[in-house]
Every structure is written in structure tokens, then in C-alpha cells.
Amino acid sequence: MFKHLYIHIPFCNSICTFCDFVRFEKCGEKVKEKYVEYLLSEIKKIPKGKLDSIYLGGGTPNSLPLKMMEKLLESLQRLINKDTEFTIELNPELLTQAQCDLFIKYQINRISLGAQIMNDKVLKIYHRAHDTKKIKSAVNLLEKNNFQNISLDFIYGFNEMGEKDLKKEINYITNCKAIKHVSFYSLEVKENSIIAKQNYELNEQKVEDEFAFIIDELKKNKWKRYEVSSWTKNKKFVSKHNIGYWNTEEWRGIGIGAFGYESKTYYHYEGKLDNISKIEEKMNDYDFYFQIISMGLRLVEGINLSIPQNQKAYEYFKQKIGSNVVITKNNFLKAKNINLLNEILIELL
């Protein structure tokens, strides 16, 4: 039985040129209302009971009108208690006090803010609607409303940026006590993004050097890395939802663009807003065990081999995985060098 829920809100007021997620720009209220009604009908199918985590992602969840957002949040109350991690992704420029009031009322306790870049010129180039000032204003408003678990997402590897920009971002998150979690993701030129159609070329060496710089600077500033791309100031702010993915726990996905995993079946939703299709793929042993290894080795502490399915996955790939991993005293399988994870996984393919 799944203990995690992901809901995809595909609406955006503008499209970032590097984005490849399922998203729809400038949809009217009737379109949004119909989509929310669809989400509500899917949520009703979930048996009442406490989930470990709920994550509202996108797209831009806080582009929903307040009344629709309230309907959605209200429908989820029967699935949470005081221990449920309840996350919403936000775009900084859209955050308002009225939204904060709703989040508090409906027990959202974790905020994931899409900062992405703290260079105003580069933000404009890639069609982000906010600037650095709006990032800081959003964080200040969240802090004012006493949100205790604020996470910021950043992207590195832009040709127009360098270590000086990354240093600025790291200085900000280090000096801002309200920020408890941060993720740095490498820019990718994905097939359905605008930059892919513009034949954007990544400087792979620059990307590699910048990631090494980020790792070093965060370590100097006493941020604790717990996953390939994620750091926190304290273990209690580790993302329960993402840990669920990395530990191959079951989760339900709802909404166009969402993915889910239940009963060794991986599925996603595609199509049009008024004609959403669910595509399922049953996993064989290879797929299942590869998911356990590939996701679990993303974690700094590794994979708990005391769990039977994890031990079976290790035995399945033991010959191929070779000397790139180590088993710790507490029976966890971990990568010797988590920064070389791709090289390890290539050996398994």
C-alpha cells in the first residue's frame, strides 16, 4: 500500500526555456476548474488514512486561483496528520499572504521554492518571471508566517553563469536562517524544452567543475549532503517524499504529467487536459532490482540491505557492481564515490 502521494498541477503563467515537464501556459479559469475537479475525483478514490507525504508539484501549483487551491487542499485533509510531510512547490513571484493563510489553514508544512537562478539577467534570458528580489521577498514572507521547513531549488551549468554566481547563491542560503534545505540540479537540454529546439549546447566540463565547486562550498558552510543533489542543515529537514522515491517505496501519482509506482507497476499520465490517459508498465525482476540499486545509491547513506528486496537486488547485480560500492558496518550498500554514480550504473546496463 502506498504511503506517498504526488499531484501534478500543470499550469504555468509563462514557460521557462529549459523546462521539459508537462505544462500548459495561460489557461483560463474554466480549464483549471475542470482539471481540479478531475483531481478531486481521483483523490476520493484513496482510502482514508494517514500518508507519510503529499507533494503538490508542477508546473506551478500556486498559479491556481485561491478558491480552487482551497478545494484541493481541503480534499486532502483526511489523508494527513501531524506527522505527514505536506509539500507545495511555489514560484516566488506568485506568492501572496492569502496563499500563506491557506497553506497554514490546511497544514502544509514544507515549501519548495523554485529559485533556480540568482542572476537577474540570466533569469530573463530563460524566461523566469521573477528576479532575485522576489526570491528574497518570498522567503521573507514565508519566514514571517513561521514556515519552519523551506527548501530552495537551484540549477547550475548555464553558459552565461559561473562560480561567482554560484558563490552568491550559496552565501545567500547560508546566511538566511529560514532556509533549511537546498537542491542543486544540473541543467539538462531535454527534448521538449525550448532550448533543445534552439540547439543549446552544454559545456560538460563547466558543468562538472561547477558541481565540484558547489559540493566544496556547501561542505565548507556545514551543509550536510544526504543525496546526490540535496543538502540540509539538519537531518529532520530531509525530504520524506523524495526519500520514498529513492528507497523504492510505493507512491501514487495523480494528474497529467504525474508518475506513480504501485505493486511493481510504474505508470504515468499523458494526453490532453480533457483526455488524460494512464500508461502502465509492469516491472520484471531486472527493472525492479535496477530501480532499487539506481535510486538507492543516490543516497549518501546508501541502501539498507536488511530489507529483503534490497538484499535480492544487490545479489542480482553483485557481479556487475564490483568494487564501486562498499557495505558498511550497519549493513548499508553505498557508492564509494557518489559523484561517480553514473559510471556505476552504466556498468549495470
Side-chain angles (χ1 to χ4, degrees):
M1 177 65 181
F2 67 92
K3 284 292 184 180
H4 306 279
L5 174 64
Y6 175 81
I7 299 174
H8 194 73
I9 311 297
F11 306 113
C12 291
N13 291 0
S14 61
I15 302 296
C16 305
T17 59
F18 52 78
C19 181
D20 187 46
F21 293 116
V22 175
R23 71 277 192 227
F24 299 88
E25 186 179 15
K26 296 177 181 177
C27 293
E29 287 209 6
K30 287 185 178 179
V31 173
K32 292 181 178 180
E33 187 172 21
K34 186 176 180 181
Y35 183 77
V36 170
E37 290 300 322
Y38 153 75
L39 294 179
L40 295 178
S41 68
E42 292 298 308
I43 291 166
K44 282 181 182 178
K45 297 175 185 177
I46 301 173
K48 183 179 180 180
K50 192 269 290 187
L51 295 178
D52 289 347
S53 74
I54 298 175
Y55 195 106
L56 304 181
T60 312
N62 66 325
S63 68
L64 283 177
L66 281 174
K67 286 184 179 179
M68 294 181 205
M69 188 181 289
E70 181 158 24
K71 271 189 176 182
L72 179 59
L73 298 181
E74 186 177 27
S75 74
L76 294 165
Q77 296 306 290
R78 65 187 184 85
L79 302 174
I80 67 175
N81 68 13
K82 64 181 178 62
D83 297 319
T84 301
E85 180 189 85
F86 195 173
T87 303
I88 186 168
E89 287 184 353
L90 302 177
N91 273 22
E93 76 280 2
L94 297 177
L95 182 63
T96 64
Q97 180 59 51
Q99 288 181 358
C100 289
D101 291 341
L102 272 189
F103 303 157
I104 294 166
K105 180 179 179 181
Y106 293 106
Q107 304 180 73
I108 286 179
N109 52 26
R110 184 173 185 272
I111 304 296
S112 180
L113 196 67
Q116 317 302 13
I117 306 162
M118 293 188 82
N119 178 314
D120 291 347
K121 289 182 180 179
V122 181
L123 283 164
K124 285 183 180 179
I125 290 171
Y126 291 94
H127 295 184
R128 291 296 290 180
H130 65 266
D131 55 19
T132 301
K133 184 178 179 180
K134 286 177 181 174
I135 294 171
K136 294 178 179 180
S137 294
V139 172
N140 290 341
L141 182 57
L142 292 168
E143 185 178 22
K144 178 184 172 184
N145 281 275
N146 202 32
F147 285 97
Q148 298 295 309
N149 194 351
I150 301 171
S151 175
L152 264 61
D153 284 353
F154 290 97
I155 300 175
Y156 65 93
F158 294 98
N159 292 334
E160 300 84 357
M161 292 176 64
E163 291 183 359
K164 182 179 178 181
D165 298 288
L166 297 173
K167 181 71 172 176
K168 177 182 175 183
E169 293 168 356
I170 292 167
N171 284 344
Y172 171 66
I173 63 171
T174 296
N175 293 327
C176 182
K177 293 181 180 179
I179 300 167
K180 302 297 196 300
H181 183 284
V182 63
S183 296
F184 278 88
Y185 300 107
S186 172
L187 176 65
E188 296 180 76
V189 182
K190 295 185 177 179
E191 184 180 355
N192 295 319
S193 66
I194 294 171
I195 59 172
K197 295 167 186 175
Q198 295 171 340
N199 298 315
Y200 189 97
E201 290 189 18
L202 284 176
N203 182 331
E204 297 292 350
Q205 187 58 54
K206 181 175 185 291
V207 171
E208 188 177 320
D209 291 343
E210 287 188 356
F211 194 40
F213 177 81
I214 290 165
I215 293 167
D216 187 53
E217 287 296 312
L218 287 172
K219 186 176 182 179
K220 285 179 186 176
N221 285 284
K222 303 189 185 310
W223 283 82
K224 298 176 180 68
R225 189 183 187 192
Y226 71 95
E227 185 268 339
V228 170
S229 303
S230 300
W231 289 258
T232 183
K233 286 186 174 180
N234 186 304
K235 281 186 176 180
K236 70 179 181 179
F237 298 112
V238 163
S239 169
K240 286 185 185 179
H241 189 82
N242 289 340
I243 287 286
Y245 293 155
W246 298 320
N247 281 333
T248 311
E249 297 173 9
E250 294 190 359
W251 79 91
R252 177 158 296 183
I254 297 177
I256 188 167
F259 288 79
Y261 166 71
E262 299 178 61
S263 303
K264 291 189 180 179
T265 300
Y266 196 60
Y267 60 87
H268 70 279
Y269 299 87
E270 58 183 44
K272 298 180 179 179
L273 283 169
D274 58 355
N275 186 21
I276 300 171
S277 300
K278 184 179 182 181
I279 312 299
E280 296 184 346
E281 182 181 354
K282 190 74 175 175
M283 287 183 169
N284 57 29
D285 284 347
Y286 174 88
D287 296 331
F288 179 56
Y289 294 143
F290 182 78
Q291 175 168 299
I292 290 172
I293 297 296
S294 63
M295 298 299 277
L297 287 180
R298 292 182 62 90
L299 294 167
V300 170
E301 74 171 3
I303 301 166
N304 186 355
L305 295 182
S306 300
I307 298 172
Q309 69 178 23
N310 295 351
Q311 179 64 37
K312 287 180 181 178
Y314 173 54
E315 294 294 338
Y316 190 91
F317 284 112
K318 190 173 183 178
Q319 297 304 316
K320 287 187 175 182
I321 209 166
S323 60
N324 293 312
V325 297
V326 63
I327 297 177
T328 65
K329 289 181 180 179
N330 59 345
N331 205 28
F332 275 71
L333 179 75
K334 60 182 290 185
K336 285 184 178 177
N337 186 346
I338 200 170
N339 299 324
L340 300 178
L341 183 59
N342 286 341
E343 284 82 347
I344 297 172
L345 299 182
I346 286 170
E347 294 293 321
L348 307 185
L349 292 172

